[in-house]
Amino acid sequence: MSQPNTYYITTPIYYVNDVPHIGHAYTTVAADVLARYHRLLGNKVLFLTGTDEHGQKVEDAANQRGIAPLTHADELVASFKDLCQTLNISNDDFIRTTETRHKETVTAVLNQLWEKDQIYADTYTGWYCTPDERFWTEKEIVDGKCPDCHRPVEALSERNYFFKMGHYQQQLRQHILDNKGFIQPESRRNEVLGFLDKTLGDLCISRPKHRLSWGIELPFDADYVCYVWLDALVNYISAPGFSRDTASFEHWWPANVHLVGKDILTTHAVYWMTTLMALGLPLPKTLFAHGWWTLDGEKMSKSRGNVVNPADLAETYGVDAFRYFLLRQVPFGNDGDFSKDVLVNRINSDLANDIGNLLSRTLTMLERYSQGKTPESITGNAPEDQRLQKAAEDLFAKVDQHLEQLAFEKALLEIWQVIRLANQYIEKAAPWLLAKDPEKKERLQTVLFYTTEAIRIVSCLITPFMPDAAMEMARQLGLSDESEKKNLQERCTWGKLPAGLPVAKGKSLFPRIQTKKKTDAQQNKSIAKKTASPAPIKPLVTIDDFAKLDLRVGIVRAAEKIEKAKKLLLLQVDIGNEKRQIVAGIATKYAPEDLIGKEVIIIANLQPATIMGIESQGMLLAAGGKKVLALATFQEEVPPGATIR
Ligand code: ME8
């Protein structure tokens, strides 16, 4: 990873219309890992998070409670700040859009854009979606409803102020094309490029006060407040000091990473980047839009009553275990489904069994065979010594490369390979047998040193993910507080373990979580549910029959509902050299917006068929019979058009 002197990372600022949930925790924990990692590398870090407090959603939430918006915001902000504390988040700043420093910067931004003739007044007639706070054109709305949230829209005609966003369409497109890592992951980059293929309109950046008063007043027209999205996006420059503290601003800007969820990709990739262009400011280096958490396959929302409270999970299962789970379970750009069973399994297998066991058995060995002290450094010649040394020595570079790509789960997987290798090493070396043979004393010392040194390196590299557990590991290994030390790379070189330090075996790092045993009847019921009447296997085919099918990787570039066909969606799928139009019976399971950017498997040489008057040029693979259970997709990113065997 290149080592800039400064590393500025942001999360979205969260709406205070409701309490935080697992999705908010996800982005914030991911940003925290990167911030901590960069501090360990010796970089100067600014890690910003905060709350988005203006606009209709917050005003409505306050009205419902019969209190003033700011009183409402003050209460909810506390729950976001508490969550940061609970999850051990190391943010350097927390910005609220109701703070004076932010309001001043928004006013300065509006003034600059106005003076640069980037804002104009016009009367606009369109369809307004109140929950989303945005206008749609006649063409965009679907059956009188918002194409985004599917709630009814209302016709509105009013004078407003517009930012000349359309003017920057080509410049933005070119920037994305020239800078491969600018929008990540690749699927999201393609999604934005697809969006920019259509004409980019201007952006309405005002709301008349008679309709919405809870916002920052436009400096050039006191009858209007600023559109909440423009207000919110400006937080990324108001916190480091734009328009107020030039030295600080220039020190931190441009940001290295804006981390967001995929729901707010367009507002960041298009609204924000064009605003920066209009202000003449450099663009952030990377915008990463991660995937979406669902609960048992369903969208989480207050109205469904299925919101997962992150503070409860952290309290029940442990902060570090929860942080580990979030980043290990799902590749960062992909969607994930939350379930407590999966969380518990992950904790028991990776944390209690793998890392917990490794530490506890190593400490026991040191107590028994090394007078409770860290062993002397010895060079081992056995192939297994060298294998473990190489794996541990190479670990920093691998983790570094994965974190550069924000591939948290891959970084953790690499660390766990070393942990598993160290456990196998102990089993193979059987130090308890070596201890019985006086002639094997030196071999025993070698085994102790190799194991302890591997764990020491592991403890350094898990620090950003699980700061408390890493500190406790270091403490038990007799090392002083490793987590606060910089020079991570140097600390991860083999052979740095100081000899003769007293170790202090303590409480178990990650106690095993007892799972309630299901009764036989429950077990049978759940097995029956899972395997309910599977369809009989069809007659055998030959390998030649199978080879006739041309299965390809496709990326969904566009998806829309088909009028009068409840179960069907019309998809535009990119299969490398060509685009296929496919009619798929998956509308009961997926909303069109869930599919954009998804990598799917298609049968590319299926005879085209006409469905509801539309030609379908291929078929998607999915689990399930008449009822679709899940689309077949990939664990890793794969290029469109790749063949599948
Ligand atoms: O959009 N899965 O705020 P917000 C994964 N104020 N991430 C999730 C998630 C889920 N189910 N739910 C929420 C806003 N998130 C604006 C942002 S920024 C200038 C203004 C995370 O409270 C994810 O990061 O709705 C998502 O982008 C963000 O919370 C939306 O938070």
Side-chain angles (χ1 to χ4, degrees), residues 360-429:
S360 116
R361 70 205 300 197
T362 303
L363 288 166
T364 306
M365 289 186 319
L366 293 176
E367 279 173 352
R368 286 198 191 146
Y369 316 128
S370 182
Q371 296 90 46
K373 300 213 166 108
T374 51
E376 296 282 339
S377 167
I378 303 182
T379 305
N381 295 318
E384 59 269 28
D385 300 337
Q386 278 152 21
R387 199 173 324 128
L388 183 59
Q389 177 173 346
K390 170 120 184 58
E393 251 169 12
D394 290 349
L395 193 55
F396 170 82
K398 288 184 179 159
V399 168
D400 187 65
Q401 190 196 349
H402 292 313
L403 287 185
E404 162 102 61
Q405 323 255 313
L406 282 76
F408 299 99
E409 93 295 352
K410 286 193 185 142
L412 287 168
L413 240 145
E414 294 289 357
I415 300 175
W416 255 253
Q417 281 193 357
V418 173
I419 293 170
R420 286 179 190 136
L421 193 63
N423 270 326
Q424 287 161 12
Y425 175 88
I426 296 176
E427 269 142 41
K428 183 146 186 253

Side-chain angles (χ1 to χ4, degrees), residues 11-19 21-28 50-54 57 80 97 228-236 259-265 267-268 272 290-295 298-300 335-336:
T11 72
I13 49 169
Y14 305 115
Y15 282 130
V16 289
N17 57 336
D18 207 349
V19 289
H21 63 72
I22 186 174
H24 300 118
Y26 186 47
T27 324
T28 310
T51 42
D52 186 356
E53 304 184 17
H54 291 125
K57 281 188 197 184
F80 281 89
T97 53
V228 66
W229 262 105
L230 180 60
D231 167 353
L233 289 162
V234 167
N235 91 86
Y236 300 132
L259 266 195
V260 297
K262 67 176 186 181
D263 55 323
I264 53 177
L265 175 67
T267 45
H268 281 77
W272 179 228
H290 64 66
W292 205 245
W293 281 97
T294 49
L295 179 70
E298 299 228 330
K299 198 171 171 164
M300 273 176 268
D335 295 340

Side-chain angles (χ1 to χ4, degrees), residues 16-17 53 55-73 76 130 209-214:
V16 289
N17 57 336
E53 304 184 17
Q56 196 79 53
K57 281 188 197 184
V58 176
E59 192 178 78
D60 287 351
N63 285 346
Q64 267 178 19
R65 299 177 63 202
I67 56 176
L70 189 58
T71 316
H72 166 83
L76 283 235
T130 310
K209 273 192 188 164
H210 65 80
R211 198 149 60 72
L212 171 72
S213 60
W214 182 232

